[in-house]
Amino acid sequence: MTNTKIKNMEDFAAISGLSRPTVSKYFHDPSSVRPTTRARIEAALEQYNYRPNIFAMNQNRKLTKNVGIVVPYLADPFFAEIVRVIERRCVEAGLSPFLFNSQGEPGYEIDILDTLRSLKPAGVLLAPLGRQSDKRAIESFCKDVPTVLFDSNLEDLGEAFVGSDNRSFVSQTVEYLTRTGEPPCFFEMKTPANPNANKRRLAYIEMMDRLGFEPHIVPIKGSGWAFEEIGRQGALKALIEGAFASNTVLCSNDRLAIGLLSACYKMGVKVGRNDDCALRVASHDDHPFSRFTCPSLTTAAHDYSAVSDEVVATLFKLIESGGRLDSRTEQLFPARLIMRDSA
């Protein structure tokens, strides 16, 4: 290795005794140059410890291999699991995924979209904030960049949407809980961060009406994405005030349910489906930790693999079709009820 400083690809080509187009061709596709040339370039890379600026390279291409992935809150295990599979699928296809986390902030979400424009991505997979998103900004972005939405559906935006069927989540949990015990109340944030929560509330009301039971919503204060703490504080208040009209509680999502279980432990309220238990608790999502709570959490699970695979497959179809589809498509995957000890 030498201490010679190489600023750009032109410097590297000159010091290697090769033409700039040949070096560029190698970085675009190493197999496109002769084996002897490839060996010469790779020896020079080792000697001078040079790595090209992939962003500068991409500015000279009509279509890059960059794929943007945007999620609202990466600390949420749902998004972490979805992204883990999406990134792997993109890499296997020879694409370069770039992950962005909007951290629940609408302004930051817009900044990310502006950054993505500069990367000239082949396509973008966007899980928008939803209710808080600047829909005009996203609409403008989708017109400029081939975009597939996932998780949160903003009607008519993007070329396609892939997500889970929230109605199937709630219909399964409500049917099971009413069949095996008292009908459930619905435990949710008064101002939910994710629009899927609203769909789940409406599905709960519809399902309870269909089964002939009176819906009972227990809304709790809190905003943002710290669902466990919001759920814990809200459940403590609900337990003290006797806000639960039933001994069965259905939570909007598993992270709220984990907070509720913590509150029950603090208050000495035993949770489970045995005769000596005071409360049954069920939820939605199948959070990776839900099987390890005490008691383990009954929940309706996303089909993580199917959603991830379909998101990437739709993106590939979009890229191959030149960035536009004949019409906007929507693909929803049903949930799967997982019965554990909490209900």
Side-chain angles (χ1 to χ4, degrees), residues 239-251:
L239 288 167
I240 292 171
E241 295 178 353
F244 296 127
S246 163
N247 68 5
T248 304
V249 181
L250 177 59
C251 299

Side-chain angles (χ1 to χ4, degrees), residues 176-195:
Y176 168 71
L177 293 172
T178 55
R179 176 167 48 84
T180 56
E182 291 187 12
C185 1
F186 193 75
F187 184 72
E188 66 160 5
M189 291 169 57
K190 185 179 295 184
T191 308
N194 189 296

Side-chain angles (χ1 to χ4, degrees), residues 62-79:
K62 183 177 181 181
L63 182 66
T64 72
K65 291 187 175 182
N66 299 336
V67 170
I69 305 170
V70 186
V71 297
Y73 195 70
L74 191 56
D76 190 307
F78 166 75
F79 293 111

